[in-house]
């Protein structure tokens, strides 16, 4: 048993359902008790989805428990098959119903006898993997199912497309800015003269999956979703894949060069250098921003980064390499893939934090006292309490991660969006100076009710007056530092002198 | 020809497949931990339960969490670990970190399936930990959404003292003394005489504090004194309940608590419609009065006055139809109120229908329909959402009250919706809060009035294949 307050990744069935409901005309049946079907709420509310979520709960209640679920599950599958004629029905249990250890594979086989569409059991262990791993696995399972089916029927196209082409693997519903990333990737591929053969799973039909091997290569933009599928396609169909996330100017270029090398190897004879150069220097504003006077003021500022593997690694590289910001630590909650993360961020941050415990993350932030946090909604919340700004760069998703406007993280437009996010997260450059020079314009702020308000330190009147003169946005930090200083020296009442002594001691 | 001829003479009850969406009953933690301020709720379940709570409750509350998950891992499920020792470890940690007055264990589907004996472990563990442990089985196998509160209150009811100990009485008096501080003895006596002499009355159901005050005052106007509420703001202040006390519920989903009052505490249950809407509130007060042999004063005028104040909203909904998909068990009371407002209601979906506990409410619904001369609604227990969507497509109701999963897709098809969950959390009880109910109900209609000239009704391309 584990005392848990917060989860960075959802349970396995959420991953499976994300894949199922991303495909076109695929329905999922959840074998689960009442209330376990909140996936439908998440999809409808967070994505503001206009269509009914194609997920039906086959409800397990007392009666079903007593009698066994087979009849009900099989009925619900065949009923859905008749009502909506889906191409595929995916059956999944949840953590709860998987304990019943029923032969769900057998239920599927029985339902398949009657159903016109295909019926499949999502094969994941609900106690050993999380949402991300389960999604990765389910996508691979669906792809394998349809490729093997086509192979058996002998209608697997073997010819590659005439022009260079790509499958974009890993765009899914309830993914972090996935839709905008997908649009951006399609534009990027069009610019490079590469045809998009397929995007999976979002919006794809399972009948088109047999065409996947026609593409020249696969692109897996996110580390969390699609790697298993890409590995499968490499092993079975000798399809190469690129798994460099095109996030940030440098990594986007690296991704494009890898594609260039791959295509040239296949005899395409492409040269993307001019394109990369033009985009980097003149189209994207990110490289120019790095050179601009605004960014100069960010030099050496301290930041911490935390999120899923893809986004935390990419942001760490951007902050450190492209903006000269000092990343004190970078962390991920993808514990199952920690080695990859370590390798990616090594050299770009002082320390690496691998944990999915939000209190450990919170403490690490408090200890580092960075000028800005780049994390998940949870870190944004921690930042609010500590009065440190936070830019949200990673799932777990929140309604704010489904902006109406175009906000990709990938590609060259993504570089612009990320610059905005980073820059606006820090207290702005000139404002910073002016506040320092003129002592701030919000001197009437109350200074109690900060994080350390429960401390036993007393501030003398003149100490308090001085503290109030310090600009609001650093006041909390100065207060904490001064109190730490006073506590270390057993000073009970903090006067103006103590405040200045502390300031000198920390060299601020 | 009268319309009445075409109407069925009695309410019609149906039951469907139960493939419907509603929230898991563990969601009651979301409001109960805020209501009972010295409590700690420990939900014993899986990642699926935890992720639900997190998504349902949002990030906001993490500053001082007073609820947590005891997340069952593979070792717990396969019984490799000792449940008792594991729970003890967690409860000790909770005591250390938060020191609550009570720990409420919320059992889930998983604890049911692996047959974890929570009730058996709690007494022993509570003596070891030194904090009362209340066990509630708020699982989705047996209950829906708001019934989670019912399981908690029923368990808590068993813990109410059956006699105020002498010293304790002093304490309770101390609070009264404090309240009466500075007032003359005569005033206090005069206040006591404002009440009619009647057997002690306990109210049950978790309501926001202002509503508790409003309902208490509403009864005081009739000379009725409320001896206690379940739940209380603090666990340590649970009301004394002796045999023969009277109890009345404020919410339709508390049938288990009601039964516990009768069977375990030997109390007398007052079966009344629920104090939702001016009509329901009046009927509720009247019923309580009649049990105590009190002639209610000024209730009719009060109800009329409330209705008069609602007129601007009533104009928006008169003659319109409302369809309840079924979610929080408040459906019957809300439908009854909206029919009284002049709406029609073809269907009331409801997760669970306790016809005995809701008898007075059902009778009032029937009576209301006759008086308003509208057809009786069809009541569908354990509905099937797919079938309901077909019926909605046919009936084209003016408003659908639905769970969150269906709201956006229905709106995209030009059907007005209101989230049922809002009625769970809004202050809807009593006379003056009737306006809040209509504020919610009329919002989509008022929104439409604002947008009507834009022609943005159908926002899906093909004709809805629901």
């Amino acid at each position: 048993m584990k005392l848990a307050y917060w989860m960075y990744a959802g349970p396995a069935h959420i991953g499976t359902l994300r894949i199922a409901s991303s495909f076109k005309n695929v329905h999922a049946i959840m074998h689960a008790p009442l209330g376990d079907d909140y996936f439908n709420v998440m999809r409808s509310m967070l994505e503001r989805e206009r269509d009914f979520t194609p997920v039906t709960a086959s409800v397990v209640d007392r009666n079903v428990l007593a009698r066994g679920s087979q009849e009900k599950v099989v009925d619900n599958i065949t009923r859905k098959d008749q009502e909506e004629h889906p191409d595929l029905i995916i059956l999944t249990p949840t953590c709860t119903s998987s304990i019943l250890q029923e032969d769900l594979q057998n239920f599927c086989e029985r339902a398949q006898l009657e159903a016109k569409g295909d019926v499949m059991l999502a094969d994941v262990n609900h106690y050993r993997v999380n949402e991300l791993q389960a999604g990765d696995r389910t996508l691979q399972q669906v792809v394998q199912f349809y490729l093997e089916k086509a192979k058996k029927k002998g209608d697997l196209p073997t010819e590659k497309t005439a022009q260079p082409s790509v499958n974009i693997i890993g765009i899914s519903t309830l993914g972090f800015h996935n839709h905008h990333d997908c649009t951006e990737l399609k534009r990027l591929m069009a610019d490079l003269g590469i045809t998009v053969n397929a995007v999976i799973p979002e919006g794809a039909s399972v009948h088109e999956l047999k065409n996947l091997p026609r593409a020249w290569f696969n692109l897996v933009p996110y580390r969390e979703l699609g790697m298993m599928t890409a590995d499968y396609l490499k092993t079975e169909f000798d399809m190469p894949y690129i798994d460099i996330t095109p996030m940030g100017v440098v990594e986007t270029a690296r991704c494009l060069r890898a594609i260039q090398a791959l295509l040239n190897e296949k005899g395409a004879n492409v040269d993307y250098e001019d394109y990369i150069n033009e985009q980097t220097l003149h189209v994207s504003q990110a490289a120019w921003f790095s050179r601009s006077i605004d960014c100069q003021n960010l030099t050496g500022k301290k930041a911490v980064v935390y999120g899923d593997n893809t986004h935390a690694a990419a942001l760490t590289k951007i902050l450190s390499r492209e903006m000269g910001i000092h990343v004190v630590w970078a962390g991920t909650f993808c514990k199952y893939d920690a080695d990859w993360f370590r390798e990616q961020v090594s050299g770009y941050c002082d320390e690496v934090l691998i944990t999915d415990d939000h209190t450990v993350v919170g403490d690490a932030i408090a200890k580092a006292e960075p000028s800005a946090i780049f994390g998940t909604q949870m870190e944004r919340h921690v930042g609010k309490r500590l009065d440190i700004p936070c830019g949200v760069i990673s799932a777990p998703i929140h309604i704010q991660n489904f902006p109406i406007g175009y906000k990709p993280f990938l590609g060259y437009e993504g570089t612009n969006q990320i610059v905005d996010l980073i820059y606006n997260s820090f207290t702005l450059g000139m404002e910073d100076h002016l506040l320092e020079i003129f002592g701030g314009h919000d001197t009437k702020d109350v200074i109690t009710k900060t994080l350390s308000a429960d401390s036993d330190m007393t501030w003398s009147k003149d100490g308090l007056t001085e503290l109030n003169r310090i600009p609001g946005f650093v006041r909390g930090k100065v207060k904490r530092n001064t109190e730490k200083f006073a506590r270390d020296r057993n000073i009970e009442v903090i006067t103006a002198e103590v405040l200045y002594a502390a300031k000198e001691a920390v060299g601020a | 020809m009268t319309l009445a001829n075409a109407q069925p003479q009695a309410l019609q009850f149906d039951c469907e497949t139960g493939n419907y969406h509603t929230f898991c009953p563990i969601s009651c933690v979301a409001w109960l931990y805020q209501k009972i301020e010295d409590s700690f709720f420990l939900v014993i379940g899986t990642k699926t339960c935890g992720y639900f709570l997190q998504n349902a409750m949002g990030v906001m509350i993490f500053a001082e969490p007073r609820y947590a998950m005891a997340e069952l891992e593979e070792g717990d499920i396969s019984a490799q670990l000792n449940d008792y020792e594991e729970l003890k470890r967690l409860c000790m940690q909770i005591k250390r970190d938060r020191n609550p007055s009570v720990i409420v264990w919320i059992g889930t589907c998983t604890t049911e399936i692996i047959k974890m004996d929570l009730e058996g472990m709690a007494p022993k563990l509570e003596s070891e930990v030194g904090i009362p442990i209340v066990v509630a089985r708020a699982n989705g196998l047996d209950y829906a959404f708001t019934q989670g509160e019912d399981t908690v209150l029923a368990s808590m009811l068993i813990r109410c003292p059956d006699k105020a100990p002498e010293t304790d009485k002093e304490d309770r008096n101390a609070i009264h003394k404090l309240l009466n501080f500075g007032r003359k003895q005569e005033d206090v006596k005069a206040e006591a005489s404002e009440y009619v002499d009647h057997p002690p009355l306990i109210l049950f159901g978790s309501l926001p504090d202002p509503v508790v005050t409003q309902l208490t005052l509403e009864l005081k106007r009739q000379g009725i004194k409320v001896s206690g509420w379940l739940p209380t703001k603090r666990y340590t202040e649970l009301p004394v309940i002796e045999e023969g006390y009277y109890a009345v519920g404020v919410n339709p989903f508390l049938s288990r608590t009601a039964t516990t009052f009768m069977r375990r505490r030997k109390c007398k249950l007052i079966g009344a419609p629920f104090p939702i809407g001016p009509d329901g509130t009046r009927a509720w007060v009247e019923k309580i009065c009649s049990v105590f042999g009190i002639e209610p004063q000024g209730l009719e005028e009060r109800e009329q006055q409330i209705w008069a104040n609602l007129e601007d909203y009533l104009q928006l909904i008169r003659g319109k139809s409302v369809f309840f998909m079924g979610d929080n068990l408040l459906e019957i009371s809300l439908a009854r109120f909206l029919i009284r407002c002049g709406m029609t209601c073809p269907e009331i979906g409801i997760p669970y229908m306790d016809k005995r506990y809701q008898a007075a409410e059902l009778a009032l619904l029937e009576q209301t329909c006759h008086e308003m001369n509208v057809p009786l609604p069809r009541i569908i227990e354990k509905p099937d959402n797919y079938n309901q969507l077909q019926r909605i497509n046919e009936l084209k109701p003016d408003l659908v009250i639905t769970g969150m999963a269906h709201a956006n897709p229905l709106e995209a098809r030009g059907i007005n919706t209101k989230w049922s969950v809002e009625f769970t959390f809004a202050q809807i009880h009593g006379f003056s809060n009737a306006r809040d109910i209509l504020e919610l109900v009329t919002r989509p209609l008022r929104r439409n009035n604002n947008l009507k000239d834009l022609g943005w009704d159908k926002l899906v391309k093909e004709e809805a294949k629901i």
Side-chain angles (χ1 to χ4, degrees):
Chain A
M1 250 176 246
K2 186 168 98 181
L3 202 56
Y5 291 96
W6 173 259
M7 269 180 261
Y8 286 103
H13 77 273
I14 298 280
T16 295
L17 295 179
R18 274 178 58 190
I19 301 303
S21 55
S22 290
F23 278 111
K24 224 172 12 194
N25 207 28
V26 169
H27 204 97
I29 301 276
M30 278 177 78
H31 171 47
L34 199 64
D36 270 7
D37 61 345
Y38 55 88
F39 176 80
N40 296 37
V41 176
M42 291 175 64
R43 186 155 180 273
S44 167
M45 297 309 305
L46 298 181
E47 291 238 34
R48 290 186 203 88
E49 183 54 59
R50 299 178 199 210
D51 282 316
F52 292 98
T53 303
V55 175
T56 302
S58 172
V59 174
V60 179
D61 58 17
R62 246 336 132 180
N63 272 332
V64 173
L65 266 194
R67 288 202 325 223
S69 350
Q70 175 159 8
E71 206 180 318
K72 183 157 189 179
V73 172
V74 172
D75 280 357
N76 277 318
I77 295 175
T78 50
R79 180 184 155 192
K80 197 44 73 182
D81 182 65
Q82 286 160 12
E83 281 168 357
E84 298 192 2
H85 315 293
D87 299 323
L88 168 68
I89 291 179
I90 297 180
L91 175 67
T92 179
T94 59
C95 299
T96 312
S97 52
S98 68
I99 322 170
L100 295 171
Q101 298 197 320
E102 292 164 306
D103 189 357
L104 295 178
Q105 185 61 48
N106 179 270
F107 296 4
C108 285
E109 282 159 19
R110 265 208 37 206
Q112 185 67 82
L113 296 176
E114 279 185 57
K116 293 205 175 62
D118 297 310
V119 182
M120 171 194 291
L121 172 67
D123 175 32
V124 293
N125 182 316
H126 290 259
Y127 284 89
R128 294 195 189 158
V129 300
N130 67 19
E131 167 191 354
L132 305 172
Q133 296 162 287
D136 200 16
R137 165 69 184 133
T138 305
L139 180 60
Q140 185 265 330
Q141 195 190 348
V142 173
V143 167
Q144 182 173 1
F145 180 86
Y146 280 98
L147 285 176
E148 281 177 3
K149 191 177 170 185
K151 201 189 255 176
K152 217 182 274 172
K153 273 168 68 184
D155 62 353
L156 196 64
T158 45
E159 288 270 296
K160 292 283 173 197
T161 56
Q163 294 302 312
S165 58
V166 62
N167 299 320
I168 300 171
I169 301 178
I171 306 292
S172 99
T173 190
L174 292 178
F176 188 80
H177 293 250
N178 270 203
H179 291 302
H180 298 165
D181 281 352
C182 183
T183 308
E184 188 62 21
L185 285 178
K186 283 181 181 165
R187 283 184 190 168
L188 191 58
M189 292 303 131
D191 283 355
L192 300 176
I194 300 171
T195 315
V196 176
N197 183 59
V199 175
I200 61 167
E202 184 64 38
S205 154
V206 288
H207 295 315
E208 294 159 7
L209 290 177
K210 64 173 186 231
N211 294 323
L212 285 177
R214 298 195 69 216
W216 289 33
F217 70 104
N218 293 317
L219 176 63
V220 188
Y222 310 117
R223 178 78 188 167
E224 291 74 25
L225 181 58
M227 286 307 293
M228 281 181 84
T229 307
D231 278 331
Y232 165 77
L233 291 170
K234 172 133 178 71
T235 318
E236 290 297 313
F237 298 90
D238 198 27
M239 291 182 75
Y241 64 80
I242 306 256
D243 62 350
I244 300 165
T245 306
M247 201 184 298
V249 178
V250 178
E251 287 294 283
T252 303
R254 192 162 79 91
C255 176
L256 297 192
R257 289 196 179 104
I259 293 173
Q260 170 181 283
L262 194 149
L263 295 182
N264 284 340
E265 205 173 283
K266 296 194 173 271
N269 196 19
V270 291
D271 183 357
Y272 296 149
E273 289 306 328
D274 287 346
Y275 177 78
I276 293 172
N277 209 37
E278 172 70 10
Q279 289 289 328
T280 303
L281 297 181
H282 304 296
V283 180
S284 158
Q285 299 297 311
W288 157 236
F289 172 81
S290 297
R291 183 69 217 191
S292 75
I293 204 74
D294 276 330
C295 189
Q296 204 183 83
N297 289 330
L298 296 183
T299 303
K301 286 228 182 205
K302 285 201 294 184
V304 298
V305 182
Y306 182 81
D308 63 11
N309 265 356
T310 304
H311 292 84
L315 254 291
T316 304
K317 291 179 194 169
I318 293 170
L319 289 168
S320 158
R321 207 162 41 180
E322 297 177 22
M323 296 189 173
I325 292 163
H326 177 194
V327 180
V328 184
W329 58 258
T332 178
F333 55 82
C334 297
K335 280 160 65 177
Y336 62 92
D337 198 15
D339 291 344
W340 181 87
F341 185 76
R342 276 203 194 87
E343 185 225 307
Q344 291 292 310
V345 300
S346 73
Y348 300 116
C349 59
D350 302 350
E351 271 175 72
V352 176
L353 182 71
I354 312 285
T355 181
D356 57 2
D357 181 338
H358 78 279
T359 57
V360 174
V361 179
D363 289 349
I365 292 171
K367 212 176 117 200
E369 294 205 353
S371 306
I373 308 166
F374 298 94
T376 72
Q377 291 293 336
M378 192 64 198
E379 285 67 53
R380 186 173 67 97
H381 184 72
V382 171
K384 250 194 230 163
R385 284 204 280 150
L386 295 171
D387 205 12
I388 301 171
C390 177
V392 175
I393 55 134
S394 161
I397 40 149
H398 184 275
I399 190 139
Q400 289 178 342
N401 305 130
F402 298 92
I404 304 281
Y406 187 53
K407 288 202 165 63
F409 270 64
L410 299 184
Y412 287 108
E413 179 53 27
T415 62
N416 293 338
Q417 296 293 334
I418 292 172
V419 164
D420 276 343
L421 179 77
I422 293 173
Y423 186 60
N424 294 334
S425 295
F426 284 101
T427 309
L428 305 182
M430 264 324 267
E431 193 184 351
D432 197 340
H433 282 299
L434 292 173
L435 287 171
E436 244 165 60
I437 295 164
F438 297 109
H441 43 61
D442 54 352
T443 46
K444 277 182 186 166
D445 244 6
V446 281
I447 54 150
T448 49
K449 287 209 169 173
T450 58
L451 192 75
S452 45
D454 55 340
S455 71
D456 47 358
M457 306 303 303
T458 351
W459 286 74
S460 74
K461 207 175 163 197
D462 64 331
L464 217 49
T465 315
E466 276 318 298
L467 184 60
N468 267 325
R469 289 204 181 123
I470 291 166
F473 66 97
V474 283
R475 195 179 296 144
K477 190 169 166 179
V478 170
K479 182 163 184 264
R480 282 196 297 278
N481 282 338
T482 311
E483 288 181 353
K484 209 189 293 165
F485 173 85
R487 200 170 289 126
D488 290 344
R489 284 158 187 78
N490 289 323
I491 300 169
E492 273 171 23
V493 179
I494 301 174
T495 56
E497 283 90 329
V498 178
L499 177 73
Y500 288 124
K503 202 178 169 200
E504 278 163 29
V506 286
Chain B
M1 191 187 101
T2 60
L3 262 175
N5 290 342
Q7 291 167 17
Q9 290 308 300
L11 285 168
Q12 187 194 340
F13 295 91
D14 287 311
C15 192
E16 283 190 320
T17 63
N19 287 348
Y20 68 106
H21 164 76
T22 183
F23 278 144
C24 173
I26 60 172
S27 48
C28 69
V29 167
W31 63 89
L32 285 177
Y33 93 93
Q34 295 181 62
K35 175 74 195 177
I36 309 169
E37 291 169 356
D38 55 349
S39 62
F40 191 99
F41 283 78
L42 184 66
V43 181
I44 304 162
T46 58
K47 257 186 174 332
T48 302
C49 313
Y51 201 57
F52 164 69
L53 282 181
Q54 174 175 327
N55 278 288
M57 295 199 221
V59 189
M60 270 83 74
I61 45 96
F62 288 94
E64 279 297 317
R66 276 194 294 104
Y67 82 84
M69 286 289 307
E71 192 184 312
L72 298 169
E73 295 169 299
E74 208 171 2
D76 300 300
I77 303 298
S78 56
Q80 285 164 352
L81 295 167
N82 182 311
D83 298 339
Y84 184 85
E85 288 305 321
E86 289 293 295
L87 280 169
K88 184 175 154 188
R89 185 170 57 81
L90 299 193
C91 289
M92 285 297 194
Q93 193 184 332
I94 291 165
K95 185 184 176 180
R96 236 187 359 259
D97 295 350
R98 308 270 164 223
N99 196 29
S101 306
V102 61
I103 298 176
V104 184
W105 284 356
I106 301 287
T108 60
C109 305
T110 309
T111 55
E112 290 295 311
I113 291 173
I114 63 175
K115 298 194 165 50
M116 193 183 271
D117 183 18
L118 297 177
E119 280 93 347
M121 283 186 274
K124 192 166 162 229
L125 218 157
E126 110 181 340
S127 61
E128 273 196 74
V129 180
I131 294 177
I133 294 173
V134 172
V135 182
R137 298 182 176 201
N139 67 75
L141 298 169
D142 301 303
Y143 305 105
F145 194 15
T146 46
Q147 287 178 294
E149 175 181 324
D150 193 21
T151 65
V152 174
L153 295 190
S155 302
M156 220 162 248
L157 174 55
I158 298 172
R159 298 303 190 95
C160 291
D162 51 8
K163 225 169 228 119
E166 284 310 307
T167 49
D168 205 41
K169 230 172 209 164
E170 199 56 41
D171 270 353
R172 277 161 208 271
N173 284 341
I175 295 171
H176 277 278
K177 267 185 205 150
L178 206 66
L179 287 174
N180 296 330
F181 182 74
R183 288 163 74 188
K184 285 186 193 135
Q185 194 63 32
E186 298 87 84
D187 290 348
V188 177
K189 267 190 192 145
E191 192 191 56
S193 67
E194 286 170 26
Y195 292 112
V196 178
D197 188 29
H198 65 82
L201 174 70
I202 306 288
L203 266 51
F204 60 95
S206 166
L207 294 179
D209 295 333
V211 186
V212 166
T213 313
Q214 283 167 18
L215 289 181
T216 309
L217 286 176
E218 213 59 69
L219 289 172
K220 190 181 167 190
R221 284 173 187 229
Q222 307 300 333
I224 297 168
K225 184 177 180 178
V226 177
S227 300
W229 275 82
L230 181 73
T232 37
K233 268 174 84 107
R234 307 187 69 82
Y235 178 78
T236 47
E237 291 162 9
L238 280 179
V240 174
I241 297 174
E242 290 177 33
E243 202 176 314
Y245 277 21
Y246 281 78
V248 66
V250 295
N251 270 324
F253 44 77
L254 299 173
S255 58
R256 202 182 159 82
T257 310
T259 316
T260 311
F261 263 105
M262 292 189 287
R263 295 204 184 136
R264 298 287 295 269
R265 306 307 302 250
K266 312 279 179 234
C267 290
K268 291 181 181 129
L269 185 75
I270 301 176
F274 299 99
I276 292 169
D279 50 339
T281 307
R282 177 183 166 189
W284 182 75
V285 176
E286 272 177 349
K287 184 63 200 267
I288 297 170
C289 285
S290 79
V291 169
F292 292 142
I294 297 168
E295 183 69 33
Q297 302 296 320
L299 266 186
E300 199 181 333
E301 295 76 20
R302 184 140 168 76
E303 191 197 342
Q304 285 317 316
Q305 184 199 336
I306 298 289
W307 282 117
N309 288 339
L310 297 176
E311 188 50 36
D312 52 338
Y313 278 152
L314 296 181
Q315 282 173 5
L316 289 169
I317 55 174
R318 236 173 238 136
K320 299 231 159 67
S321 60
V322 57
F323 186 109
F324 287 85
M325 286 190 78
D327 189 23
N328 54 15
L329 278 85
L330 293 169
E331 289 83 6
I332 304 282
S333 307
L334 287 173
R336 179 259 303 147
F337 167 57
L338 292 179
I339 290 171
R340 177 62 73 184
C341 289
M343 295 184 90
T344 56
C345 178
E347 174 167 334
I348 307 176
I350 186 166
Y352 168 75
M353 186 74 243
D354 184 332
K355 286 185 201 160
R356 280 179 62 196
Y357 178 60
Q358 292 228 44
E361 185 63 89
L362 287 168
L364 185 57
L365 170 69
E366 218 175 321
Q367 184 196 332
T368 304
C369 289
H370 289 313
E371 286 173 14
M372 299 303 290
N373 201 22
V374 296
L376 288 166
R378 195 175 151 208
I379 297 174
I380 300 201
E381 201 182 348
K382 293 191 188 307
D384 182 290
N385 281 162
Y386 181 83
N387 294 346
Q388 284 185 315
L389 293 176
Q390 310 304 314
R391 293 195 289 269
I392 288 170
N393 203 24
E394 250 168 61
L395 293 164
K396 300 261 181 308
D398 297 302
L399 178 67
V400 175
I401 306 219
T402 175
M404 289 177 142
H406 294 110
N408 269 336
L410 282 170
E411 289 281 355
R413 284 156 182 79
I415 305 263
N416 301 313
T417 62
K418 195 79 211 130
W419 291 334
S420 44
V421 68
E422 291 195 68
F423 298 96
T424 319
F425 297 122
Q427 305 191 356
I428 60 169
H429 294 73
F431 280 120
S432 43
N433 293 322
R435 211 176 159 79
D436 290 48
I437 308 179
L438 292 186
E439 165 70 25
L440 291 175
V441 167
T442 58
R443 197 173 295 160
L445 306 169
R446 284 180 284 131
R447 185 259 333 256
N448 288 358
N449 286 345
N450 294 337
L451 304 183
K452 69 182 170 209
D453 297 330
L454 298 170
W456 294 346
D457 292 341
K458 289 257 164 60
L459 294 157
V460 276
K461 276 180 188 153
E462 325 90 297
E463 187 40 40
K465 184 187 80 174
I466 309 191

